[in-house]
Amino acid sequence: MNSFLYLYKTTTKNKLKKAMRRPVSYLYLLLIIGYVVLIFGTFGGMAKDLGVNTPDGLAALLTVFAFFIIPANMISYCRKKGLIFTRSDVHLLFPAPVNPKHVLLYAQVKQVIFNFLIGVFLVVAGCLWFEVTIWRMLLYFLFAQLIENVLEGSIMLILYGSEKLTQTMLNGIRVVMYACISLFFIIGLILLATKGFSIDSIMGYLSSQWVQMVPLIGWNIAVIHLIIVAPTVVNVICSALYLISAVVLFGVAYKMECSGEYYEDAIKFAEDYAVAREKGKKGQMAFIGKKEKFQKANVVYKGHYAKALFYRQLLEYKKNKFFIFGINSIICVGAVVLIYFMGTDPDLATSPYRPFLIPGILAYICFIFSGYPTKWSKEMNSPYTYLIPDTAFHKLWYATQIEHVRSIIDGALFAIPAAIIIKVTPVQAALSILIYICLQASKLYGTVMMESLLGSILGNTAKLLFRMLLMGVLIGFGVLGAVLGTLWFNIEIGYLFMIIIVAVMTFVFMLVAAGAFEKMEAVD
Amino acid sequence: MLEIKGLTKRYGKTLAVDNVQLFVPDGQIGILLGPNGAGKSTIIKSVAGLLRYQGVVAIQNMSSKTIEAKKVFAYVPEIPAMYDALTVREHMEFIKRAYGITGSEQETDALLERFELLDKQDKLGNELSKGMMQKVSICCALIVKPQVILLDEPMVGLDPAAIKELKKVVLELKAQNVTVLISTHMLEMVKDLWDIMYVMDNGKVVGTYSKEEVGEGDIEELFFKVTGNEEMPQASNQ
């Protein structure tokens, strides 16, 4: 364990030293402090408004967490995916003469530290917002840090490290866990359907004795009720069963033999995790261990040089299961549902703002949803892009052309049904789609421009904030143009003013962004 | 000594290694040759205890999975990976603690100097180039003072000076009665080193040769003769 302690101590010390040298760390620290203050300022009032600012309220909240977190953790341990190992662990730690069970505990420590911080937060929250006495919260803290961690650690060691549990057995445990979560949901729904939706009925369900009788998960909830609320016959018995389980499972985990057969699964997960992390750092969407499946497709290249980028992307999209439809398409369809319900509001028909609803929602989608970099960003990571004998402007245009097609489709997916629902003219609907295309294009070229100018200076969060600021300014000017156009002429001219303003700014972004396709600095 | 008996490894339905037998005595240098996908790395990873397998792997007559066997065993993987927040020297310190070694700082210095890392000792893992990582990886393996050492494509990424140094180190280890197994497809790099050669193809050992048997014969020619593969070790020209 001496080596693990050294590893933790040294990495933490070095990370802190490195963070303290970066001015942005202090900015993040300020943001975190501000966020915590904000939570403490608002959550108490929210709990009071909902009528859950009592020990029962806290117990109900912890019950919900227990019913999802415990089975979810067990499912991931069964799949040997709950613990994060790095490639360096695989290289330096796995072949070393250390007990494989200690290696598992080393990975679990990150979880324990997180639990400790949550525990501290809960002690403060319990006393401040839920009117729980301090001794009860301290007792709960001790229970969570000692008994709960021991039980969780033992379960993790058994499920992850046991070489006697077959895959069939592990699959069985997973099924039981899924069944537990489903049952918890179904019983809740039945109770809500029969007793009606109210805070009282939810609280009644979450503190019901039936819930506390479910092995392990329910027993954990029983201890929570025993400590935070008050003793009952059921929660005392179930708490005793929980303690016995902790002792027995600890004994089993302690005596269990483990020669490190799980290393193979851990290596696979470490590799998938590293790949997902690298993708995440580049701002791409990443799912751990999910491999994309492609279907067969072909494309006829109609042109040379930078045009080849467009046709290659088209080929890749044709191989995709969902072609060019992506998250933005789902968001646009979701927005149609939203506008359908808004359309039922009788005040909307007479509202002077009705024609601005569609472009307003589309602008909101552009502003709020960051949109993951798609195939165009990969072009910037490929050395072949820079070697194509064409101008940087052409490369930028053809690398991003398909994104404009996607904007037309996504915009139409929302604007056409929305126009029918809230009864605006086809011209206004078409202009709304144009606004959406311009806004998405400006976001796209704004991002490339930022990568070109600040890519090596800013981190992902700073880039996101900067892009939101840029979009905010752009939309602000666009809205100003729309308002003035509407006041001076009519709504359609207002729309056109917005389109012209956004298009001009987008073109400026585009000219600056083209520089990114001249320098090969984005390539890893 | 390193002994492998009946090693079989499947990835799902794919048979990666099929009933492999292999023996490298104390103080001998074994080389594992084969084209890409022959199963070399799977064997190395199995010996290092990183994979589940069928069969027996013994290090100094102990099961390779035991802590005692791991104490006398070192492994240099094909692709090194360092802890982002540990410096070069801290990596060495961590390894010494993980292997329970009470080696002096002078030993660490000597190894770092030998692989031209002394001036890089305070660099963090995420600041190292691939070649430097490979050097640190070799230093971490050597600080253990192993009785059996496995090197998976150790020359890849190293500069000429480091390759020369590594060859010298391997011969010194042999002189110290250490068992060495090198997996490679760079035939040119190992032609002066080997005592026993195992040629692999499609997950099987298709040829076993000793230095005495082959004498001064060309191992490249021998390799092609056994595998019937004319394309493989172009890497020897790299």
Side-chain angles (χ1 to χ4, degrees):
Chain A
M1 294 302 256
N2 176 25
S3 51
F4 295 118
L5 204 66
Y6 176 80
L7 188 57
Y8 264 122
K9 218 172 70 183
T10 316
T11 48
T12 311
K13 184 187 78 189
N14 289 350
K15 277 180 187 171
L16 278 174
K17 264 163 71 180
K18 199 176 173 185
M20 282 169 74
R21 281 199 296 264
R22 295 172 60 197
V24 76
S25 308
Y26 297 99
L27 183 71
Y28 287 146
L29 191 67
L30 276 176
L31 284 174
I32 292 168
I33 292 169
Y35 189 65
V36 170
V37 169
L38 189 77
I39 285 182
F40 270 92
T42 54
F43 199 89
M46 223 161 78
K48 213 170 194 174
D49 292 344
L50 287 168
V52 292
N53 59 330
T54 58
D56 291 279
L58 180 61
L61 203 69
L62 294 174
T63 300
V64 175
F65 284 137
F67 237 103
F68 288 105
I69 289 171
I70 298 173
N73 283 352
M74 283 173 77
I75 289 165
S76 59
Y77 297 146
C78 287
R79 298 172 70 199
K80 315 259 163 111
K81 287 188 174 175
L83 300 174
I84 294 168
F85 291 106
T86 59
R87 284 172 174 160
S88 38
D89 289 329
V90 174
H91 173 175
L92 298 163
L93 198 58
F94 288 5
V98 288
N99 188 334
K101 282 198 272 187
H102 292 172
V103 176
L104 285 174
L105 290 173
Y106 147 80
Q108 175 85 349
V109 165
K110 292 164 198 161
Q111 181 69 36
V112 172
I113 293 168
F114 181 70
N115 287 350
F116 179 83
L117 294 174
I118 294 283
V120 172
F121 176 80
L122 280 175
V123 170
V124 180
C127 297
L128 284 180
W129 303 329
F130 296 96
E131 295 166 10
V132 185
T133 52
I134 188 145
W135 72 266
R136 280 184 187 271
M137 280 320 297
L138 287 175
L139 190 61
Y140 172 73
F141 180 78
L142 283 177
F143 157 74
Q145 301 312 311
L146 299 175
I147 319 277
E148 216 174 58
N149 273 337
V150 166
L151 184 74
E152 165 112 21
S154 306
I155 290 173
M156 178 276 293
L157 281 174
I158 294 165
L159 294 178
Y160 218 111
S162 169
E163 284 152 19
K164 286 186 179 157
L165 285 175
T166 62
Q167 196 52 50
T168 320
M169 288 171 173
L170 291 171
N171 289 345
I173 296 169
R174 273 171 61 193
V175 170
V176 171
M177 289 302 116
Y178 279 122
C180 269
I181 298 175
S182 310
L183 205 67
F184 182 70
F185 246 131
I186 292 164
I187 295 173
L189 285 175
I190 293 170
L191 279 173
L192 288 178
T194 51
K195 293 188 176 176
F197 184 85
S198 69
I199 291 293
D200 284 343
S201 60
I202 295 172
M203 297 271 280
Y205 167 54
L206 293 175
S207 59
S208 87
Q209 300 195 334
W210 297 106
V211 166
Q212 295 176 33
M213 284 183 202
V214 177
L216 285 177
I217 308 161
W219 297 346
N220 180 291
I221 293 162
V223 184
I224 292 168
H225 279 82
L226 173 66
I227 297 174
I228 292 175
V229 185
T232 63
V233 177
V234 171
N235 71 30
V236 168
I237 293 171
C238 293
S239 299
L241 288 169
Y242 187 82
L243 282 177
I244 293 166
S245 310
V247 173
V248 171
L249 289 172
F250 175 76
V252 172
Y254 185 77
K255 288 204 161 181
M256 178 190 85
E257 278 185 21
C258 176
S259 67
E261 285 197 0
Y262 70 85
Y263 284 162
E264 185 171 335
D265 304 300
I267 290 169
K268 172 85 178 60
F269 186 68
E271 199 51 45
D272 291 341
Y273 179 75
V275 171
R277 208 168 153 224
E278 276 162 19
K279 274 188 169 183
K281 274 185 184 170
K282 287 179 190 167
Q284 295 169 8
M285 204 191 304
F287 296 107
I288 297 172
K290 291 266 180 200
K291 274 194 178 171
E292 282 183 272
K293 284 185 181 168
F294 299 106
Q295 50 202 26
K296 282 187 178 173
N298 53 52
V299 74
V300 180
Y301 283 76
K302 293 173 186 167
H304 299 287
Y305 311 122
K307 263 190 186 175
L309 294 173
F310 170 78
Y311 287 104
R312 205 211 65 244
Q313 284 186 16
L314 182 64
L315 177 65
E316 285 173 352
Y317 275 118
K318 282 172 96 173
K319 287 183 179 182
N320 268 358
K321 211 173 169 184
F322 299 105
F323 188 43
I324 56 173
F325 298 102
I327 286 180
N328 271 353
S329 317
I330 299 169
I331 293 167
C332 285
V333 172
V336 173
V337 179
L338 178 81
I339 213 160
Y340 175 79
F341 286 108
M342 287 172 84
T344 56
D345 185 354
D347 294 339
L348 187 70
T350 53
S351 168
Y353 301 112
R354 187 171 54 95
F356 296 105
L357 196 59
I358 296 176
I361 290 177
L362 285 172
Y364 182 77
I365 289 172
C366 282
F367 180 71
I368 288 294
F369 297 101
S370 63
Y372 284 93
T374 50
K375 299 201 184 294
W376 66 265
S377 70
K378 287 180 191 164
E379 305 295 355
M380 283 170 71
N381 282 318
S382 163
Y384 298 107
T385 307
Y386 303 91
L387 296 173
I388 291 173
D390 211 332
T391 62
F393 190 82
H394 274 164
K395 287 178 197 175
L396 173 71
W397 171 246
Y398 287 112
T400 54
Q401 200 180 31
I402 215 157
E403 294 304 314
H404 305 313
V405 179
R406 298 180 85 194
S407 297
I408 296 170
I409 294 171
D410 293 342
L413 275 175
F414 171 72
I416 295 170
I420 297 166
I421 293 166
I422 64 166
K423 296 183 183 71
V424 297
T425 65
V427 176
Q428 286 172 4
L431 289 171
S432 298
I433 296 171
L434 262 178
I435 289 174
Y436 181 70
I437 296 164
C438 286
L439 285 174
Q440 285 289 25
S442 65
K443 186 163 79 174
L444 177 69
Y445 296 125
T447 309
V448 187
M449 181 177 77
M450 233 162 41
E451 280 298 330
S452 171
L453 299 176
L454 306 165
S456 53
I457 302 167
L458 299 180
N460 278 345
T461 317
K463 277 184 207 165
L464 179 75
L465 292 173
F466 202 83
R467 188 171 58 189
M468 285 179 89
L469 180 74
L470 198 70
M471 286 306 291
V473 171
L474 186 90
I475 292 171
F477 276 117
V479 169
L480 186 69
V483 171
L484 292 177
T486 308
L487 289 175
W488 291 338
F489 304 99
N490 56 37
I491 288 171
E492 281 78 9
I493 300 293
Y495 275 31
L496 271 177
F497 269 35
M498 187 173 184
I499 290 166
I500 291 165
I501 289 168
V502 176
V504 168
M505 288 176 84
T506 304
F507 190 71
V508 174
F509 289 174
M510 215 177 153
L511 287 175
V512 181
F517 281 79
E518 264 168 6
K519 295 176 284 178
M520 218 165 77
E521 286 172 13
V523 178
D524 291 331
Chain B
M1 52 76 97
L2 171 70
E3 188 172 22
I4 297 173
K5 284 185 196 165
L7 179 70
T8 300
K9 173 65 191 169
R10 284 177 187 277
Y11 292 107
K13 287 178 184 170
T14 311
L15 185 61
V17 172
D18 186 10
N19 195 27
V20 163
Q21 321 285 333
L22 191 149
F23 182 75
V24 187
D26 287 342
Q28 299 260 298
I29 300 167
I31 54 170
L32 205 51
L33 297 180
N36 294 334
K40 304 186 298 289
S41 286
T42 301
I43 290 182
I44 296 277
K45 282 179 186 166
S46 300
V47 175
L50 301 177
L51 299 177
R52 284 187 286 266
Y53 55 83
Q54 288 171 290
V56 176
V57 177
I59 290 166
Q60 304 297 85
N61 285 320
M62 297 174 278
S63 165
S64 66
K65 287 183 177 176
T66 60
I67 300 282
E68 290 311 308
K70 286 182 177 187
K71 278 183 183 171
V72 295
F73 166 79
Y75 164 58
V76 177
E78 184 180 357
I79 302 165
M82 301 287 119
Y83 287 106
D84 286 352
L86 286 194
T87 64
V88 170
R89 182 171 276 277
E90 284 164 351
H91 272 91
M92 305 277 280
E93 180 61 31
F94 166 65
I95 289 294
K96 283 201 280 187
R97 288 173 188 241
Y99 282 76
I101 296 162
T102 48
S104 65
E105 289 301 305
Q106 282 79 12
E107 281 178 68
T108 306
D109 287 341
L111 264 175
L112 293 176
E113 193 166 10
R114 189 162 190 185
F115 283 91
E116 296 173 330
L117 286 170
L118 209 50
D119 56 333
K120 319 254 177 356
Q121 60 176 314
D122 293 324
K123 272 195 178 289
L124 291 171
N126 62 3
E127 295 167 353
L128 299 174
S129 69
K130 190 180 175 276
M132 275 196 258
M133 280 195 205
Q134 186 72 330
K135 287 181 186 179
V136 178
S137 174
I138 292 166
C139 290
C140 285
L142 295 176
I143 196 87
V144 170
K145 295 195 187 110
Q147 290 172 31
V148 176
I149 183 166
L150 251 62
L151 302 125
D152 194 359
E153 300 289 359
M155 322 284 191
V156 175
L158 290 184
D159 53 49
I163 291 177
K164 196 176 164 195
E165 203 54 48
L166 180 63
K167 282 183 180 177
K168 248 161 89 180
V169 166
V170 169
L171 290 171
E172 280 170 23
L173 288 169
K174 179 185 169 170
Q176 290 160 19
N177 212 30
V178 173
T179 306
V180 182
L181 181 66
I182 305 171
S183 158
T184 187
H185 58 258
M186 295 166 81
L187 304 182
E188 190 67 26
M189 301 288 176
V190 288
K191 69 177 182 187
D192 308 326
L193 299 175
W194 69 285
D195 295 308
I196 308 164
M197 173 167 69
Y198 290 92
V199 182
M200 292 197 66
D201 201 11
N202 288 323
K204 288 182 181 165
V205 172
V206 290
T208 307
Y209 304 92
S210 65
K211 188 85 172 192
E212 297 86 53
E213 205 182 324
V214 177
E216 292 307 307
D218 186 359
I219 59 169
E220 200 169 298
E221 210 171 277
L222 193 66
F223 175 85
F224 287 133
K225 204 171 119 191
V226 177
T227 58
N229 185 346
E230 291 291 334
E231 297 163 14
M232 199 278 299
Q234 292 307 311
S236 59
N237 298 327
Q238 285 172 0

